[in-house]
Amino acid sequence: MFHHKKTIAEGDLVLAYIGRDNLKPIFVKNGDVLQTKYGNFPHTDMIGKPFGSQVTSAKNVGFIYLLLPTPELWTVSLPHRTQIVYTPDSSYIVQRMNVVGGSRVIEAGTGSGSFTHAFSRTVGPAGRVFSYEFHEQRYIQAKKEFESHKLENVTLTHRDVCNEGFDIDTEVNAQMVFLDLPSPWEAIPHLSRAIAKDQTVGICCFSPCIEQVVKAVEALQECGWTAIEMTEVQAKKWEARKEMVRELDDAIERLRDVKRRQKEGAELKKLPPKRDADGNEKDRGYNPFGKGKRIAEGDESFQWQNVSKTGPELKTHTSYLLFARQVPVLGAGV
Ligand code: SAM
């Protein structure tokens, strides 16, 4: 995953775009068939096609797109085992915490691995993601998934971080911490042993309730974290478009037109139906309740004004994002 690839080969993970809210991850295997409501798609037909291609079903009834996996697409197609962090939050957290190629990051809990994929791509081969999950089945599932997606920079540990902390065999030395746990205040005191001592470390706690935020703030203050701030990401789609300017006369003319066309339709209905050579009733050619002619947005024969409109809310697990920093103590021997 995340290595750019032009063409699809056997064994590749492909995200089959079946519809706007329907992306299905598949591992391409000769002989397998992807079954969808738009028809069956033999994997054999996918091999050798460029990523991004449209393929038609075996009986030419429908089509899908074959997409190259990215963390953003994985987030909207992954099998949910828990609530997950969506891209509007993860992208904000990554840039605000200055996570870059080479960064060392702690993440707890792993959950469905949505954010792990985004972290893994951002920190790249020179960085490392230390992810912790205490639920055994979720840990096993995530381990399998990370291996099959070749997330080689992720160290996944089966651990209750609230009781056992973050220490593992290798040095963690994290520059950024992300906690998506029901009780982050219990994990915060364990962090001091696992974070970098010679540079500023950032933390983000992701909590749906304000009571959790209050408890986490207290724990952060007690453990020497500063610059504590809370943010909530309310992502919305914003659409800019043109709307036709209509005067009163236009509205009256439109009503007259509707009436006129209703009358024409009623007259047509009185006539005996026309039939084709096989005796089937022919289309009357006019629908009195139809909508009239479509006008392309911006058609120069009409007057337009620019308007804006917000779309429906984007999919996101709305939580409060609590940020803080730990600055190294001068003269602490580093
Ligand atoms: N951020 C994840 C994602 O984007 O897919 C979702 C995390 S999910 C909301 C929270 C996870 O934390 C659950 O899988 C839960 O089992 C795990 N968890 C809860 N308490 C924990 C603890 N003390 N130690 C480790 N994992 C814990």
Side-chain angles (χ1 to χ4, degrees), residues 269-281:
K269 257 193 145 178
K270 284 185 202 156
L271 300 175
K274 289 185 180 158
R275 300 195 180 272
D276 62 17
D278 298 328
N280 298 321
E281 197 174 317

Side-chain angles (χ1 to χ4, degrees), residues 83 85 110-115 133-134 138 159-162 180:
Q83 286 273 28
V85 179
T110 314
S112 306
S114 165
F115 206 165
E133 174 57 57
F134 79 164
R138 284 181 206 147
R159 168 81 57 86
D160 175 350
V161 293
C162 294
D180 184 0

Side-chain angles (χ1 to χ4, degrees), residues 8 21 24 44 94 149 156 166 176 230 255 258 276 312 322:
I8 299 168
D21 294 318
K24 197 170 165 37
T44 317
V94 162
H149 296 176
L156 181 61
F166 299 86
M176 194 260 159
M230 195 195 77
L255 287 174
V258 169
D276 62 17
L322 184 64

Side-chain angles (χ1 to χ4, degrees), residues 119-141:
F119 276 136
S120 169
R121 183 192 54 186
T122 305
V123 306
R128 191 138 280 275
V129 183
F130 299 92
S131 192
Y132 301 80
E133 174 57 57
F134 79 164
H135 186 286
E136 192 177 5
Q137 281 313 310
R138 284 181 206 147
Y139 160 78
I140 292 171
Q141 203 55 40

Side-chain angles (χ1 to χ4, degrees), residues 188 191 195 201-203 220-221 223-228 324-326:
I188 289 167
L191 282 169
I195 57 174
V201 176
I203 187 169
L220 288 170
Q221 284 171 330
C223 296
W225 294 82
T226 57
I228 300 173
R325 279 204 295 266
Q326 186 138 145

Side-chain angles (χ1 to χ4, degrees), residues 245-291:
V245 178
R246 290 169 205 266
E247 305 292 343
L248 184 60
D249 285 351
D250 296 332
I252 294 169
E253 184 44 44
R254 163 120 181 95
L255 287 174
R256 283 200 185 120
D257 184 49
V258 169
K259 264 210 134 139
R260 197 165 47 235
R261 297 195 303 135
Q262 271 177 346
K263 207 169 151 198
E264 278 171 24
E267 292 301 321
L268 266 178
K269 257 193 145 178
K270 284 185 202 156
L271 300 175
K274 289 185 180 158
R275 300 195 180 272
D276 62 17
D278 298 328
N280 298 321
E281 197 174 317
K282 265 188 168 174
D283 184 1
R284 289 173 192 274
Y286 176 68
N287 171 8
F289 305 105
K291 283 202 167 157

Side-chain angles (χ1 to χ4, degrees), residues 12 22 37 57 80 85 148 158 186 203 225 257:
D12 278 351
N22 192 359
K37 62 178 176 181
S57 64
H80 278 226
V85 179
S148 67
H158 181 216
E186 290 178 330
I203 187 169
W225 294 82
D257 184 49

